[in-house]
Amino acid sequence: MRPPYEDVGKLGFGQYFTDFMFVMKYNEEKGWHDKKIKKYEPFAFDPAACMLHYSQEVFEGQKAYVSEDGRVLMFRPQDNARRMNRSAVRMCMPEIPEDIYMKALKDLIMHEKQWIPQAPMTSLYVRPTMIGVEPFLGVKPSREILFYIILSPVGPYYKNGFNPIGIYVEDVMVRSMPGGVGDIKAGGNYGASLLAGLEAKKKGFEQVMWLDAKEHKYVEEVGSMNVFFVYGDKLVTPPLDGSILPGITRDAVITMASDLGYEVEERPINIDEALRDAENGKLTEMFGTGTAVVISPVGLLFYKNKEYQINEKKVGKVTQRLYDALVDIQYGRAEDRYNWVYELGKM
Ligand SMILES: *Cc1c(COP(=O)(O)O)cnc(C)c1O
Protein backbone atom coordinates (compact mmCIF):
# COMPACT_ATOMS: atom_id res chain seq x y z
CA MET A 1 0.00 0.00 0.00
CA ARG A 2 1.30 3.48 -0.85
CA PRO A 3 2.13 5.35 2.37
CA PRO A 4 0.55 8.77 3.03
CA TYR A 5 3.64 10.76 2.01
CA GLU A 6 1.66 14.01 2.05
CA ASP A 7 0.95 13.64 5.77
CA VAL A 8 4.12 12.95 7.75
CA GLY A 9 2.09 12.56 10.94
CA LYS A 10 0.14 9.67 9.42
CA LEU A 11 3.29 8.03 8.10
CA GLY A 12 4.17 7.03 11.65
CA PHE A 13 6.99 4.60 12.31
CA GLY A 14 7.19 1.14 10.79
CA GLN A 15 3.61 0.85 9.56
CA TYR A 16 4.25 0.72 5.83
CA PHE A 17 6.59 -1.56 3.93
CA THR A 18 7.93 -1.32 0.40
CA ASP A 19 7.09 -3.80 -2.38
CA PHE A 20 10.33 -5.78 -2.33
CA MET A 21 12.72 -7.32 0.19
CA PHE A 22 16.17 -8.90 0.14
CA VAL A 23 16.50 -12.53 1.20
CA MET A 24 19.38 -15.01 1.50
CA LYS A 25 19.89 -18.35 3.19
CA TYR A 26 22.74 -20.06 4.98
CA ASN A 27 23.75 -23.57 5.81
CA GLU A 28 27.12 -25.15 6.39
CA GLU A 29 27.27 -26.97 3.06
CA LYS A 30 26.39 -24.03 0.84
CA GLY A 31 27.39 -21.00 2.95
CA TRP A 32 25.32 -17.92 2.15
CA HIS A 33 23.26 -18.73 -0.93
CA ASP A 34 20.06 -17.98 -2.84
CA LYS A 35 20.54 -14.23 -2.54
CA LYS A 36 17.67 -12.40 -4.11
CA ILE A 37 15.46 -9.36 -4.17
CA LYS A 38 11.90 -10.62 -4.21
CA LYS A 39 8.37 -9.46 -3.66
CA TYR A 40 7.54 -8.52 -0.03
CA GLU A 41 5.28 -11.31 1.18
CA PRO A 42 4.78 -13.56 4.22
CA PHE A 43 7.30 -16.34 4.88
CA ALA A 44 6.22 -19.92 5.43
CA PHE A 45 7.93 -21.53 8.45
CA ASP A 46 7.65 -24.89 10.08
CA PRO A 47 5.80 -24.33 13.39
CA ALA A 48 8.82 -25.95 15.11
CA ALA A 49 11.27 -23.41 13.60
CA CYS A 50 13.99 -22.59 16.13
CA MET A 51 13.49 -18.79 16.34
CA LEU A 52 9.81 -19.21 17.14
CA HIS A 53 10.61 -21.18 20.29
CA TYR A 54 14.05 -20.08 21.40
CA SER A 55 14.36 -16.57 19.98
CA GLN A 56 17.40 -17.20 17.82
CA GLU A 57 17.00 -13.81 16.17
CA VAL A 58 19.10 -10.67 15.76
CA PHE A 59 18.45 -7.51 13.81
CA GLU A 60 19.71 -4.07 12.86
CA GLY A 61 18.12 -0.65 12.42
CA GLN A 62 19.40 1.80 9.81
CA LYS A 63 18.07 4.61 7.67
CA ALA A 64 18.40 5.84 4.09
CA TYR A 65 17.92 9.50 3.19
CA VAL A 66 17.69 11.58 0.03
CA SER A 67 19.86 14.70 0.05
CA GLU A 68 18.73 17.99 -1.46
CA ASP A 69 20.95 17.30 -4.47
CA GLY A 70 19.35 13.89 -5.05
CA ARG A 71 21.90 11.50 -3.55
CA VAL A 72 20.71 8.42 -1.68
CA LEU A 73 22.61 8.35 1.61
CA MET A 74 23.12 6.13 4.63
CA PHE A 75 24.82 6.86 7.94
CA ARG A 76 27.79 4.65 8.92
CA PRO A 77 26.21 1.49 7.42
CA GLN A 78 29.43 -0.53 7.80
CA ASP A 79 29.15 -0.09 11.56
CA ASN A 80 25.73 -1.74 11.45
CA ALA A 81 27.20 -4.59 9.38
CA ARG A 82 29.87 -5.15 12.02
CA ARG A 83 27.40 -4.96 14.90
CA MET A 84 25.06 -7.39 13.12
CA ASN A 85 27.95 -9.84 12.92
CA ARG A 86 28.78 -9.44 16.62
CA SER A 87 25.12 -10.06 17.43
CA ALA A 88 24.99 -13.09 15.13
CA VAL A 89 28.07 -14.71 16.68
CA ARG A 90 26.65 -14.29 20.20
CA MET A 91 23.48 -16.07 19.06
CA CYS A 92 25.35 -18.88 17.26
CA MET A 93 24.62 -17.63 13.78
CA PRO A 94 27.04 -17.05 10.90
CA GLU A 95 28.67 -13.74 10.10
CA ILE A 96 27.87 -12.03 6.83
CA PRO A 97 30.89 -10.83 4.83
CA GLU A 98 30.71 -7.05 4.86
CA ASP A 99 30.74 -6.77 1.06
CA ILE A 100 27.68 -9.04 0.80
CA TYR A 101 25.84 -7.05 3.48
CA MET A 102 26.66 -3.72 1.84
CA LYS A 103 25.70 -4.93 -1.64
CA ALA A 104 22.39 -6.27 -0.33
CA LEU A 105 21.61 -2.88 1.27
CA LYS A 106 22.58 -0.99 -1.85
CA ASP A 107 20.77 -3.22 -4.35
CA LEU A 108 17.53 -3.31 -2.35
CA ILE A 109 17.42 0.37 -1.39
CA MET A 110 18.26 1.55 -4.92
CA HIS A 111 15.59 -0.83 -6.27
CA GLU A 112 13.08 0.79 -3.89
CA LYS A 113 14.42 4.34 -3.95
CA GLN A 114 11.15 5.89 -5.09
CA TRP A 115 9.76 4.89 -1.67
CA ILE A 116 12.17 7.10 0.28
CA PRO A 117 10.10 9.94 1.75
CA GLN A 118 11.63 13.39 1.40
CA ALA A 119 9.74 15.66 3.82
CA PRO A 120 11.63 16.94 6.87
CA MET A 121 12.05 14.31 9.65
CA THR A 122 11.27 11.43 7.27
CA SER A 123 13.50 8.65 5.95
CA LEU A 124 13.46 5.05 4.80
CA TYR A 125 13.97 2.79 7.81
CA VAL A 126 15.97 -0.34 7.01
CA ARG A 127 15.53 -3.54 9.03
CA PRO A 128 18.06 -6.33 8.40
CA THR A 129 17.05 -9.47 10.31
CA MET A 130 18.66 -12.88 10.88
CA ILE A 131 16.75 -15.91 12.15
CA GLY A 132 17.27 -19.61 12.82
CA VAL A 133 14.59 -21.47 10.86
CA GLU A 134 15.46 -25.14 11.27
CA PRO A 135 12.54 -27.13 12.74
CA PHE A 136 13.21 -29.06 15.99
CA LEU A 137 12.40 -28.78 19.68
CA GLY A 138 15.72 -29.70 21.29
CA VAL A 139 17.62 -26.64 22.45
CA LYS A 140 20.52 -26.10 20.06
CA PRO A 141 21.52 -23.65 17.35
CA SER A 142 19.65 -23.87 14.05
CA ARG A 143 21.68 -25.13 11.09
CA GLU A 144 19.41 -23.33 8.65
CA ILE A 145 19.59 -19.53 8.78
CA LEU A 146 17.59 -16.89 6.94
CA PHE A 147 18.74 -13.30 6.52
CA TYR A 148 16.41 -10.68 5.09
CA ILE A 149 16.06 -6.92 4.78
CA ILE A 150 12.77 -5.04 4.73
CA LEU A 151 12.21 -1.32 4.23
CA SER A 152 9.72 1.05 5.82
CA PRO A 153 9.12 4.71 4.91
CA VAL A 154 8.94 6.49 8.28
CA GLY A 155 8.18 9.81 9.90
CA PRO A 156 9.32 10.82 13.41
CA TYR A 157 9.51 7.93 15.91
CA TYR A 158 7.39 9.76 18.48
CA LYS A 159 4.18 11.19 17.16
CA ASN A 160 4.81 14.65 18.57
CA GLY A 161 8.14 14.84 16.74
CA PHE A 162 11.15 16.59 18.28
CA ASN A 163 9.56 17.31 21.66
CA PRO A 164 10.63 16.28 25.16
CA ILE A 165 9.33 12.88 26.24
CA GLY A 166 8.45 11.60 29.70
CA ILE A 167 10.29 8.55 30.99
CA TYR A 168 9.35 6.01 33.65
CA VAL A 169 12.38 4.83 35.62
CA GLU A 170 11.85 1.09 36.13
CA ASP A 171 13.02 -0.01 39.57
CA VAL A 172 11.78 -3.61 39.65
CA MET A 173 12.19 -5.23 36.23
CA VAL A 174 15.55 -5.26 34.45
CA ARG A 175 16.51 -5.44 30.78
CA SER A 176 19.97 -6.88 30.81
CA MET A 177 23.00 -7.90 32.86
CA PRO A 178 26.73 -8.19 32.17
CA GLY A 179 27.42 -11.47 30.41
CA GLY A 180 23.90 -11.55 28.98
CA VAL A 181 22.77 -10.32 25.57
CA GLY A 182 21.92 -6.70 26.37
CA ASP A 183 24.90 -5.49 24.34
CA ILE A 184 23.66 -7.04 21.10
CA LYS A 185 20.54 -6.37 19.05
CA ALA A 186 18.62 -9.53 19.89
CA GLY A 187 14.84 -9.54 19.52
CA GLY A 188 14.54 -11.38 22.83
CA ASN A 189 15.73 -8.28 24.68
CA TYR A 190 12.69 -6.46 23.39
CA GLY A 191 10.29 -9.28 24.21
CA ALA A 192 11.51 -9.11 27.80
CA SER A 193 11.01 -5.33 27.89
CA LEU A 194 7.41 -5.20 26.66
CA LEU A 195 5.69 -5.47 30.03
CA ALA A 196 7.57 -2.57 31.59
CA GLY A 197 6.93 -0.52 28.44
CA LEU A 198 3.22 -1.25 28.57
CA GLU A 199 2.96 -0.27 32.23
CA ALA A 200 4.89 2.94 31.61
CA LYS A 201 2.51 3.80 28.72
CA LYS A 202 -0.52 3.18 30.94
CA LYS A 203 0.88 5.70 33.39
CA GLY A 204 1.35 8.20 30.56
CA PHE A 205 5.09 7.91 29.82
CA GLU A 206 6.60 7.33 26.41
CA GLN A 207 9.54 5.19 27.48
CA VAL A 208 11.17 3.14 30.22
CA MET A 209 14.58 3.86 31.67
CA TRP A 210 16.41 0.74 32.82
CA LEU A 211 18.70 0.50 35.81
CA ASP A 212 21.48 -2.03 36.36
CA ALA A 213 20.38 -5.57 37.22
CA LYS A 214 22.40 -5.98 40.40
CA GLU A 215 21.84 -2.85 42.48
CA HIS A 216 19.00 -1.12 40.61
CA LYS A 217 20.99 2.02 41.11
CA TYR A 218 22.89 2.90 37.94
CA VAL A 219 21.33 4.18 34.74
CA GLU A 220 21.69 1.86 31.75
CA GLU A 221 19.60 3.02 28.79
CA VAL A 222 16.09 3.82 27.59
CA GLY A 223 13.98 1.56 25.35
CA SER A 224 15.87 1.69 22.07
CA MET A 225 18.02 4.67 23.02
CA ASN A 226 21.27 5.36 24.81
CA VAL A 227 21.07 8.26 27.25
CA PHE A 228 23.02 11.45 27.85
CA PHE A 229 22.80 13.76 30.86
CA VAL A 230 23.83 17.36 30.23
CA TYR A 231 25.46 19.46 32.94
CA GLY A 232 26.04 22.85 31.32
CA ASP A 233 28.86 22.21 28.84
CA LYS A 234 29.45 18.66 30.01
CA LEU A 235 27.80 15.49 28.72
CA VAL A 236 27.69 12.37 30.86
CA THR A 237 26.69 8.94 29.55
CA PRO A 238 26.93 5.41 30.99
CA PRO A 239 29.98 3.41 29.86
CA LEU A 240 29.74 0.39 27.53
CA ASP A 241 30.11 -2.18 30.29
CA GLY A 242 28.52 -5.14 28.52
CA SER A 243 24.90 -4.61 29.48
CA ILE A 244 23.97 -1.70 27.22
CA LEU A 245 23.79 -1.56 23.47
CA PRO A 246 26.76 0.20 21.84
CA GLY A 247 24.74 2.68 19.80
CA ILE A 248 26.17 4.16 16.64
CA THR A 249 24.27 7.39 17.30
CA ARG A 250 25.77 7.40 20.82
CA ASP A 251 29.23 7.09 19.33
CA ALA A 252 28.53 9.86 16.79
CA VAL A 253 27.26 12.20 19.51
CA ILE A 254 30.34 11.58 21.67
CA THR A 255 32.64 12.35 18.73
CA MET A 256 30.72 15.44 17.58
CA ALA A 257 30.21 16.83 21.07
CA SER A 258 33.93 16.82 21.81
CA ASP A 259 34.60 18.70 18.56
CA LEU A 260 31.82 21.20 19.33
CA GLY A 261 33.59 22.07 22.56
CA TYR A 262 31.65 20.00 25.07
CA GLU A 263 33.33 17.79 27.60
CA VAL A 264 32.16 14.17 27.44
CA GLU A 265 32.41 11.78 30.37
CA GLU A 266 31.59 8.07 30.20
CA ARG A 267 30.92 6.93 33.76
CA PRO A 268 28.32 5.12 35.84
CA ILE A 269 25.41 7.41 36.70
CA ASN A 270 23.70 6.91 40.01
CA ILE A 271 19.96 7.47 39.58
CA ASP A 272 19.55 9.20 42.96
CA GLU A 273 22.31 11.61 42.05
CA ALA A 274 20.81 12.35 38.62
CA LEU A 275 17.38 13.01 40.13
CA ARG A 276 18.82 15.24 42.85
CA ASP A 277 20.62 17.18 40.12
CA ALA A 278 17.34 17.45 38.16
CA GLU A 279 15.73 18.94 41.27
CA ASN A 280 18.48 21.40 42.10
CA GLY A 281 18.88 22.41 38.44
CA LYS A 282 22.47 21.19 38.01
CA LEU A 283 21.22 18.75 35.40
CA THR A 284 20.42 21.18 32.62
CA GLU A 285 19.23 18.79 29.87
CA MET A 286 18.80 15.15 29.07
CA PHE A 287 18.38 13.31 25.77
CA GLY A 288 18.32 9.86 24.22
CA THR A 289 20.08 8.71 21.05
CA GLY A 290 19.22 6.01 18.52
CA THR A 291 18.81 5.54 14.79
CA ALA A 292 15.02 5.58 15.02
CA VAL A 293 14.78 8.81 17.05
CA VAL A 294 18.19 10.29 16.12
CA ILE A 295 18.15 12.51 19.26
CA SER A 296 15.15 12.71 21.54
CA PRO A 297 14.93 15.35 24.27
CA VAL A 298 13.77 14.13 27.69
CA GLY A 299 11.64 16.49 29.77
CA LEU A 300 10.55 14.35 32.67
CA LEU A 301 11.68 11.40 34.77
CA PHE A 302 9.26 9.52 37.00
CA TYR A 303 10.80 7.44 39.79
CA LYS A 304 9.17 5.82 42.81
CA ASN A 305 5.98 7.88 42.43
CA LYS A 306 7.68 11.21 42.03
CA GLU A 307 8.10 13.45 38.98
CA TYR A 308 11.35 15.23 38.17
CA GLN A 309 11.25 17.88 35.47
CA ILE A 310 14.26 18.63 33.32
CA ASN A 311 14.77 22.04 31.73
CA GLU A 312 11.08 22.89 32.37
CA LYS A 313 10.16 20.22 29.80
CA LYS A 314 11.63 22.29 26.98
CA VAL A 315 14.15 21.38 24.30
CA GLY A 316 17.55 22.50 25.57
CA LYS A 317 20.15 24.31 23.50
CA VAL A 318 22.79 21.58 23.70
CA THR A 319 20.27 18.95 22.62
CA GLN A 320 19.07 21.15 19.77
CA ARG A 321 22.60 21.93 18.62
CA LEU A 322 23.69 18.30 18.57
CA TYR A 323 20.47 17.27 16.81
CA ASP A 324 20.91 19.91 14.10
CA ALA A 325 24.58 19.08 13.61
CA LEU A 326 23.85 15.37 13.33
CA VAL A 327 20.87 15.50 10.96
CA ASP A 328 22.69 18.04 8.78
CA ILE A 329 25.41 15.44 8.28
CA GLN A 330 22.92 12.59 7.81
CA TYR A 331 20.92 14.45 5.14
CA GLY A 332 24.07 15.55 3.35
CA ARG A 333 23.61 19.26 4.17
CA ALA A 334 26.80 19.69 6.22
CA GLU A 335 30.38 18.82 5.48
CA ASP A 336 31.02 15.17 6.29
CA ARG A 337 34.27 15.64 8.15
CA TYR A 338 34.08 12.25 9.86
CA ASN A 339 33.45 10.28 6.69
CA TRP A 340 30.19 8.94 8.11
CA VAL A 341 27.99 9.37 5.07
CA TYR A 342 27.79 6.55 2.54
CA GLU A 343 26.36 7.28 -0.87
CA LEU A 344 24.40 4.40 -2.38
CA GLY A 345 23.64 6.16 -5.66
CA LYS A 346 21.52 8.89 -7.19
CA MET A 347 17.74 9.29 -7.33
C1 LIG B 1 19.46 -0.06 18.50
C2 LIG B 1 19.49 0.27 19.94
C3 LIG B 1 20.04 1.47 20.41
C4 LIG B 1 20.55 2.57 19.50
O1 LIG B 1 21.59 2.18 18.65
P1 LIG B 1 21.89 3.03 17.34
O2 LIG B 1 23.02 2.32 16.70
O3 LIG B 1 22.22 4.40 17.76
O4 LIG B 1 20.64 2.98 16.52
C5 LIG B 1 20.10 1.67 21.79
N1 LIG B 1 19.62 0.76 22.65
C6 LIG B 1 19.07 -0.41 22.23
C7 LIG B 1 18.59 -1.37 23.23
C8 LIG B 1 18.99 -0.69 20.86
O5 LIG B 1 18.43 -1.83 20.46
Side-chain angles (χ1 to χ4, degrees):
M1 185 170 58
R2 192 180 180 278
Y5 285 105
E6 306 71 29
D7 186 345
V8 170
K10 282 216 188 90
L11 198 51
F13 193 92
Q15 307 188 84
Y16 299 93
F17 297 95
T18 74
D19 284 338
F20 287 82
M21 60 182 176
F22 174 87
V23 186
M24 69 176 176
K25 296 176 183 163
Y26 179 93
N27 62 34
E28 221 162 81
E29 302 78 68
K30 294 189 191 161
W32 287 110
H33 63 281
D34 276 1
K35 302 181 190 71
K36 58 180 170 247
I37 289 173
K38 56 175 279 199
K39 212 174 117 231
Y40 185 104
E41 62 186 3
F43 292 121
F45 295 120
D46 192 291
C50 181
M51 88 290 186
L52 299 175
H53 298 268
Y54 306 127
S55 300
Q56 196 183 19
E57 189 262 9
V58 298
F59 66 95
E60 267 304 326
Q62 309 180 231
K63 278 176 173 173
Y65 311 86
V66 179
S67 67
E68 277 154 22
D69 55 355
R71 293 172 297 142
V72 180
L73 306 176
M74 295 192 86
F75 185 69
R76 303 177 63 172
Q78 298 95 334
D79 289 312
N80 294 90
R82 286 173 208 138
R83 189 170 64 192
M84 178 108 205
N85 282 338
R86 276 206 311 278
S87 300
V89 168
R90 178 67 176 81
M91 295 298 278
C92 300
M93 292 192 279
E95 294 180 84
I96 301 174
E98 205 171 299
D99 57 325
I100 295 181
Y101 186 96
M102 293 302 295
K103 185 172 178 345
L105 279 182
K106 182 172 177 167
D107 290 350
L108 178 66
I109 294 167
M110 290 313 285
H111 186 276
E112 300 289 78
K113 66 184 182 185
Q114 73 284 356
W115 289 84
I116 308 176
Q118 298 193 30
M121 296 197 78
T122 65
S123 58
L124 186 70
Y125 187 77
V126 180
R127 172 51 60 84
T129 307
M130 197 191 292
I131 50 181
V133 295
E134 191 185 355
F136 54 77
L137 290 182
V139 178
K140 62 181 180 186
S142 171
R143 286 169 305 182
E144 299 289 335
I145 304 293
L146 182 68
F147 173 79
Y148 62 94
I149 306 174
I150 53 175
L151 306 175
S152 175
V154 299
Y157 189 75
Y158 298 116
K159 59 178 181 302
N160 55 356
F162 189 66
N163 279 307
I165 58 166
I167 289 181
Y168 182 86
V169 183
E170 176 59 55
D171 60 337
V172 179
M173 290 181 257
V174 296
R175 188 191 85 95
S176 157
M177 69 294 290
V181 291
D183 61 344
I184 62 162
K185 273 185 117 68
N189 287 331
Y190 279 85
S193 78
L194 293 175
L195 182 57
L198 189 67
E199 291 183 356
K201 282 233 166 59
K202 277 192 204 150
K203 296 189 176 88
F205 305 99
E206 277 94 347
Q207 281 284 343
V208 171
M209 187 156 89
W210 301 101
L211 302 176
D212 76 285
K214 202 166 156 206
E215 298 182 75
H216 296 225
K217 191 166 138 190
Y218 295 100
V219 173
E220 300 239 299
E221 58 179 311
V222 170
S224 55
M225 306 190 295
N226 297 111
V227 285
F228 287 80
F229 294 80
V230 184
Y231 291 83
D233 283 339
K234 182 156 132 193
L235 270 54
V236 186
T237 191
L240 300 178
D241 61 358
S243 57
I244 70 174
L245 199 283
I248 295 162
T249 321
R250 173 188 182 278
D251 185 77
V253 164
I254 290 174
T255 304
M256 281 181 356
S258 307
D259 288 345
L260 289 171
Y262 301 109
E263 191 187 332
V264 184
E265 205 172 89
E266 293 179 63
R267 64 159 170 88
I269 297 160
N270 185 313
I271 183 65
D272 293 318
E273 201 185 300
L275 295 172
R276 196 192 58 219
D277 292 343
E279 272 189 318
N280 66 25
K282 269 205 241 161
L283 177 69
T284 47
E285 300 175 34
M286 182 184 168
F287 61 86
T289 63
T291 296
V293 296
V294 188
I295 287 179
S296 175
V298 176
L300 183 84
L301 293 174
F302 185 86
Y303 180 62
K304 296 193 194 290
N305 272 319
K306 193 167 164 200
E307 286 194 4
Y308 300 83
Q309 281 201 15
I310 300 161
N311 197 30
E312 298 169 333
K313 292 170 116 174
K314 291 190 304 242
V315 180
K317 62 178 196 299
V318 178
T319 306
Q320 183 75 54
R321 186 164 174 223
L322 288 167
Y323 175 81
D324 291 341
L326 184 53
V327 296
D328 281 351
I329 293 176
Q330 290 177 332
Y331 284 85
R333 291 189 291 259
E335 186 204 343
D336 177 26
R337 49 192 298 216
Y338 307 106
N339 217 4
W340 282 340
V341 176
Y342 186 90
E343 186 177 323
L344 297 177
K346 305 261 192 288
M347 278 306 279

